[in-house]
Amino acid sequence: ILPSVEVSTQPALEPPRVTGTQANRRGVRIFMAEDEQSIRRFLGRAFERIGADATLVEDATQAIEAARGEDFELLLLDMRMPGGGGVEAYQRIREVKPELAQRTVFMTGELSVEMSQIVGQDYAGVLEKPFLLQELVEVMQNAREIGGSENSRS
């Protein structure tokens, strides 16, 4: 069952099935900070379906703590959330683990002033909400390629 929050303006799609070309996403360590529970839950199920190992939190403070203590191949940060937002979390995480910068993708409902603070920095991309699951899968692949594969378990 899909959450009540619309993730896309397109017809609802099932999370992608793991096929030969998607098998390299099995075991990928994803970290996502998103304050909307329905989006967290929906994407958490999608990550499970593609075989990713996902850690999901709801605010920037939790994001900073988790990223300090664990290694991830991809960070998804909501731009606006309690505890400082995605930009502040990104900047603090980047200070202690600069290698995660190129593997960070921001999620936002609107391009905002906060984004102007990090223009030109080395994050992997921005997903504008609502987005399709296929867009997320593509961004995941690009972030892994850009960020290097030294920590990849493919």
Side-chain angles (χ1 to χ4, degrees):
I1 299 175
L2 294 176
S4 59
V5 171
E6 192 172 71
V7 175
S8 172
T9 57
Q10 301 294 320
L13 300 174
E14 285 191 28
R17 291 196 172 112
V18 177
T19 63
T21 59
Q22 294 171 326
N24 65 345
R25 286 186 276 284
R26 279 209 169 281
V28 65
R29 300 235 336 122
I30 297 173
F31 176 81
M32 182 177 75
E34 167 64 63
D35 61 324
E36 292 186 43
Q37 182 181 16
S38 57
I39 294 175
R40 261 194 336 270
R41 191 174 27 220
F42 178 77
L43 291 177
R45 282 190 228 132
F47 295 144
E48 282 179 26
R49 292 279 304 269
I50 64 171
D53 178 12
T55 299
L56 312 174
V57 300
E58 62 186 61
D59 67 40
T61 304
Q62 293 171 339
I64 295 162
E65 289 306 311
R68 282 181 178 157
E70 296 185 48
D71 289 321
F72 296 99
E73 295 174 71
L74 177 66
L75 274 68
L76 295 168
L77 300 175
D78 188 15
M79 285 300 297
R80 294 190 177 172
M81 60 185 158
V87 171
E88 183 177 330
Y90 168 77
Q91 291 169 335
R92 301 231 353 244
I93 291 167
R94 190 173 181 215
E95 289 171 6
V96 294
K97 288 195 173 178
E99 69 277 9
L100 292 179
Q102 291 183 321
R103 294 184 245 149
T104 301
V105 175
F106 293 99
M107 302 178 294
T108 183
E110 60 186 56
L111 295 178
S112 61
V113 174
E114 290 93 353
M115 284 303 299
S116 67
Q117 296 173 8
I118 58 169
V119 169
Q121 294 186 17
D122 54 357
Y123 55 89
V126 177
L127 275 173
E128 283 191 73
K129 297 176 188 175
F131 54 83
L132 298 172
L133 287 174
Q134 185 57 40
E135 292 173 301
L136 175 60
V137 169
E138 290 170 11
V139 166
M140 287 171 56
Q141 186 62 38
N142 290 340
R144 288 182 77 195
E145 290 170 5
I146 291 169
S149 58
E150 66 278 357
N151 293 325
S152 179
R153 292 196 264 163
S154 39

